[in-house]
Amino acid sequence: MSRESILLGRVRYSQDRELPGMLHARVLRSPYPHARIVRVDASAVPARAVALTPDDVRGLGVYGCQIQDQTVLALDRALHAGDPVAAVAAATPDEAEDALALIEVEYEELPAVSDLEEALAGSVLVHERIRISDNDAAYFGIRPEQGTNVCHRFRILHGDFEVGLEQADVVIEETFRTPAAQHAPMEPHACLARWEGGRLELWTGTHTPFNVRSDLARVFGLAEEDVRVVVPPMGGSFGAKTFVHLEALTAALARKAGRPVRCVLPRSEEWVTNNRHPALLTVKIGATADGTLVAKRVDSWIDTGAYADCGPGVAQKIGYSAVGPYRIPHVHVESRCVYTNRPPNGAFRGFGATQAAWASERAMDLLADRLGLDPLELRLRNVLRDGDVFCTGETVRDVHFAECLERAAAAIDWGQGRSGKGLCVLLKGMQTPSRAQIAVEAADGGGYTIRCATAELGQGSRRALTLVASELLGAPLSEISFPDPDTDIVPYDTRATSSRSTYMMGNALEEAVRELRKDGRRGVGEFRNSGGLDPDTGQGVASSHWHQGAAAAEVRVDEETGLVEVVRLHAAVYAGRVVNPPGAELQNEGSMIMGLGSALFEAVSFADGQVVNANLSDYQIPSIADIPDGLTHDLLTKPGAEVHGLGETALPPVPAAIGNALGSLGIQTTELPLMPETVLAAIDRRDGGGVR
Amino acid sequence: MRVRFALNGEPVELDVRADETLLTVLRRDAGILSARESCGIGVCGACTVLVDGRPTSACLLLAPLADGAEVATAEGLGPDHPVVRAFAEAHAFQCGFCTPGMIVAATALLAESPSPSDAQIRHALAGNLCRCGSYVKILEAVRRAAA
Ligand code: FES
Ligand code: FES
């Protein structure tokens, strides 16, 4: 993607891809959060359009990247308001939309599970049996609790929490909540499918082409090699475009139509396709009078909606992220992923770290307050340093949490009064274990071609890889081409998630270039990181290296209206070595701005199980007018250090830094977003008898 | 019905339905892909084009109302246009989806006030959303392009 093509609007995203004879798809969705589907009658749809109904897909396979729980259309029960029950392909999107109105569906409403509390009560089961997926995204021990709505439970046992608690002079226990949020990439989900000689070909915006390929192979009973996934550049994703969303349905329509079909998701349907997991976390943390942490217990529940997607993975990451980057001898974590009759929730920039940091770091400030300690002091006293042991039993190296905190604090003049100021430190793991492969070819007409599965979603990792390749090959950028990922051609990769592309692929690239030099035509490099956690004890290696950061915020609060103004916001992020400085800055700034939205106003709202703010007017995302003048950041580097991915690090600490800034004014909140009503209620609590 | 307007300086004549938006017909019939639908309701600016010099959400304007107008899109700006150059130099984009709309809106602002204050820039671009959050550098780009 050249700069010029981006600036002048010549980029062809998935939504712009076309094939001759292509039809356009629209999806009919259940209006009920839970209903028996008695009858679907599409006989009134005119013959020039193609309707797909449950009977067309009954014989197809069940998919799901971590748990096999999803069918191409809802078959007998619709499991959330927005669950696809039928679809139409027609010559134009309008015609398809009109045809949807001609499909008759008879529903019988069923009692629905609308939140975590109801799900855990267990009187309604969203799925009767929970089957673990054979997709390689189910790479860790998944522990469903059959007969309940819990599709995964992850546990950490480190020391003995009860023993630790006895040593504590001060104990804080509090419950924290974060709502569903919407990724809202400017380009919606879009996918184009065609069948060619028994092979399925897809052009789709996804970070996970190989996972999509294997799920689709299973749905259609094909060999993986008979599914081809090509990934055009994405107009943003932020995690929304991971794993299968529209692809199975679009492919089934194309097969029935015998023609290529494109599905570009109408904006409103984004909110019923993939959101961020709402989370409920209870944190109990104890320290001795001098501020030494001795024990921590975290109970976490995330609402994964009607389909698990990668929720089990998010629950696992929340489990250790919520312990935070601290030395704590006695830790007990129980983290669960729970089904409800809500739209599915999946990967969202931060992958659970935002929810975890909100709870964990707000609790740290409550503890500091109780101990009468400076929150920075309390953190610095306990933060992980090189050679310390994390709650997973792994020894941490190359960690710079203290430095990140100090830099962030300095940026808002922490030393000159703490009123209206707050901090948050962040630890985020990188996917472990995983494997990345990249190939470099000498092109016929001169120059080089890079082939790998890393997709372009605006994160700049393809640019970074091109820069690294140019250096390694000693070739100018203009001689290096980097075509869109195509699973027929590129070597295997786990997935471009958890900010791992630049690091993993960068390492693999060095080997690929060495191999190319030997072979003359083509070199393939591979890089693996190994480790993983025992799901029942949480012991092992959570991450082969750590994404580390801290945020500091200064706020002004209008105590009459409850309006929070962020005056200064700073993020300090450990980058190791920086490959592409402007790209790194953009990642940091973009993450902070998304964090601002999560902190101050973003939440998906529901009424009767339906999303009620499914448009960009009622669901607001930050605009240029919302950006504080004092939005700054710095990248910590170290000569010779490893490259650290920066795609997500600066987002998760932002909400808690802002929440802690409010806390410094005695405005103690436990719930996001920090809307005026939430802030006013906290002011009332403060004025009506102090901090609760 | 037929509508005639100037598109990036060239006359065009298109067959449209009375209820179709300018965005639909630009994309379908005029080969314009820089204007993009994102929100579809006039709040995101991804479909921004200039109609007689004014930044307009093409997703809201019915195509027949463009009859006789001068319509300009990012396709009509060359790589050497000062605003395009400023966006390149300031690295003011990530995925690029919002970028052409942002650039078009910025050219309109600068045509009206060649040296806008930061507050003016923020005001003028508040209707152009960038979910990648490239705003700090977008602000910088518009400052650079200003006289
Ligand atoms: S698509 Fe026109 S303003 Fe959003
Ligand atoms: S650069 Fe991606 S939306 Fe603006």
Side-chain angles (χ1 to χ4, degrees), chain A residues 99 177 311 350 404 452 506 516 556 615:
Chain A
R177 285 173 193 270
C404 289
C452 80
L516 171 70
R556 245 194 315 258
N615 62 67

Side-chain angles (χ1 to χ4, degrees), chain B:
Chain B
M1 61 191 293
R2 288 190 91 62
V3 294
R4 292 175 197 81
F5 54 86
L7 178 59
N8 296 323
E10 301 288 326
V12 290
E13 193 171 326
L14 302 173
D15 245 329
V16 308
R17 276 201 336 248
D19 64 345
E20 286 181 317
T21 65
L22 181 61
L23 181 61
T24 302
V25 307
L26 283 177
R27 290 182 63 88
R28 187 190 59 206
D29 305 327
I32 296 295
L33 291 184
S34 69
R36 299 163 176 148
E37 175 164 328
S38 183
C39 72
I41 54 172
V43 299
C44 78
C47 63
T48 306
V49 299
L50 299 183
V51 176
D52 293 331
R54 263 194 317 276
T56 303
S57 292
C59 72
L60 292 186
L61 187 73
L62 291 175
L65 297 178
D67 197 60
E70 303 255 351
V71 176
T73 71
E75 276 88 352
L77 308 170
D80 294 327
H81 188 282
V83 179
V84 175
R85 267 219 320 271
F87 268 69
E89 286 163 12
H91 302 277
F93 57 88
Q94 292 178 62
C95 76
F97 199 86
C98 70
T99 313
M102 210 54 100
I103 289 179
V104 165
T107 54
L109 166 69
L110 293 169
E112 207 177 281
S113 31
S115 318
S117 65
D118 274 11
Q120 274 174 307
I121 300 174
R122 283 168 188 264
H123 182 76
L125 297 183
N128 287 76
L129 299 176
C130 173
R131 187 54 154 171
C132 295
S134 311
Y135 297 129
V136 176
K137 297 198 169 13
I138 290 170
L139 202 55
E140 172 59 25
V142 182
R143 284 189 204 121
R144 265 177 199 251

Side-chain angles (χ1 to χ4, degrees), chain A residues 278-434:
Chain A
L280 171 66
L281 283 96
T282 299
V283 178
K284 190 168 182 180
I285 185 164
T288 54
D290 68 349
T292 306
L293 299 180
V294 287
K296 184 168 187 181
R297 173 160 177 139
V298 177
D299 277 277
S300 161
W301 296 267
I302 57 165
D303 172 350
T304 202
Y307 300 106
D309 197 84
C310 58
V314 174
Q316 193 214 39
K317 296 254 159 79
I318 286 194
Y320 64 75
S321 306
V323 176
Y326 299 113
R327 242 177 358 253
I328 312 176
H330 304 287
V331 174
H332 183 172
V333 176
E334 298 278 337
S335 182
R336 301 124 186 130
C337 180
V338 184
Y339 283 124
T340 63
N341 293 116
R342 285 284 167 91
N345 298 304
F348 189 107
R349 198 178 206 177
F351 211 75
T354 306
Q355 296 95 318
W358 170 249
S360 162
E361 287 292 283
R362 282 289 297 124
M364 281 300 276
D365 263 39
L366 296 177
L367 181 65
D369 197 51
R370 188 73 63 79
L371 287 163
L373 275 178
D374 176 334
L376 176 60
E377 267 315 304
L378 175 64
R379 287 180 172 83
L380 291 178
R381 193 162 299 184
N382 294 284
V383 89
L384 290 171
R385 303 192 186 243
D386 263 26
D388 280 343
V389 176
F390 188 44
C391 64
T392 52
E394 69 206 272
T395 302
V396 297
R397 306 252 175 245
D398 195 22
V399 292
H400 306 269
F401 296 109
E403 208 182 330
C404 289
L405 267 168
E406 280 162 345
R407 292 258 205 130
I412 60 163
D413 304 313
W414 186 262
Q416 287 149 48
R418 307 201 306 261
S419 175
K421 296 177 187 173
L423 294 172
C424 174
V425 63
L426 176 92
L427 147 152
K428 189 183 169 297
M430 190 184 69
Q431 193 179 306
T432 305
S434 73

Side-chain angles (χ1 to χ4, degrees), chain A residues 629-651:
Chain A
D629 285 328
L631 188 140
T632 53
H633 56 102
D634 53 326
L635 292 164
L636 282 64
T637 55
K638 209 177 84 176
E642 287 179 335
V643 172
H644 282 59
L646 299 168
E648 308 168 89
T649 317
L651 188 169

